């Protein structure tokens, strides 16, 4: 399974970005996608997850009502729409997939990170 994440960039506070994560390879072996972020000096944290089969959602409290995770099964692509961005959202964002939603960061497959920088 290979993942390619893209869509990061520099945005002003209050702005929006949409991250995409294209999944290829043995996609039938995965049913969950998560978006993580890691800011300098901080641990990697899960910000949102979705299951492909039934669309179950999870959001970290810090991003609820601002971020939306979604999927396009036909394209094997997941998205993270980020609105009302804040400087504290600045981080490297990673997508990950697994057969089910693991505990913590123990996901099987990871994409390369994409940097999101929010200026104040």
């Amino acid at each position: 399974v290979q993942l390619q994440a893209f869509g990061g960039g520099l945005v002003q506070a209050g702005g929006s970005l949409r991250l995409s994560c294209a999944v290829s390879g043995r996609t039938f072996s995965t049913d969950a996608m998560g978006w993580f972020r890691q800011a300098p000096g901080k641990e990697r944290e899960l910000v949102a997850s979705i299951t492909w089969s039934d669309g179950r959602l999870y959001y970290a409290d810090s991003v609820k009502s601002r971020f939306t995770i979604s999927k396009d099964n036909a394209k094997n692509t997941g998205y993270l729409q980020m609105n009302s961005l804040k400087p504290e959202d600045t981080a490297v964002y990673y997508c990950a997939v697994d057969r089910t939603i693991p505990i913590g960061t123990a996901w099987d497959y990871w994409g390369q990170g994409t940097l999101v920088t929010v200026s104040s």
Side-chain angles (χ1 to χ4, degrees):
V1 177
Q2 295 82 41
L3 287 73
Q4 184 175 9
F6 50 94
L10 174 64
V11 64
Q12 289 187 331
S16 298
L17 281 174
R18 188 177 82 157
L19 305 183
S20 300
C21 181
V23 185
S24 61
R26 296 169 58 90
T27 58
F28 58 85
S29 66
T30 63
D31 189 50
M33 172 175 283
W35 283 97
F36 292 76
R37 67 185 181 189
Q38 187 165 20
K42 295 188 177 181
E43 294 186 351
R44 190 171 298 189
E45 63 171 344
L46 176 66
V47 295
S49 66
I50 188 169
T51 52
W52 297 81
S53 58
D54 60 7
R56 281 181 291 132
L57 304 174
Y58 163 83
Y59 293 100
D61 288 343
S62 58
V63 306
K64 279 181 181 177
S65 77
R66 300 189 298 121
F67 290 11
T68 302
I69 189 171
S70 62
K71 57 184 176 65
D72 184 329
N73 288 341
K75 295 182 178 179
N76 289 323
T77 299
Y79 305 96
L80 185 68
Q81 177 68 42
M82 305 184 295
N83 298 329
S84 302
L85 282 162
K86 304 175 181 179
E88 51 263 44
D89 294 318
T90 294
V92 177
Y93 284 71
Y94 301 87
C95 59
V97 295
D98 206 317
R99 186 174 59 83
T100 61
I101 296 181
I103 296 174
T105 59
W107 292 61
D108 278 349
Y109 304 100
W110 291 83
Q112 85 287 5
T114 184
L115 178 62
V116 172
T117 303
V118 184
S119 62
S120 56

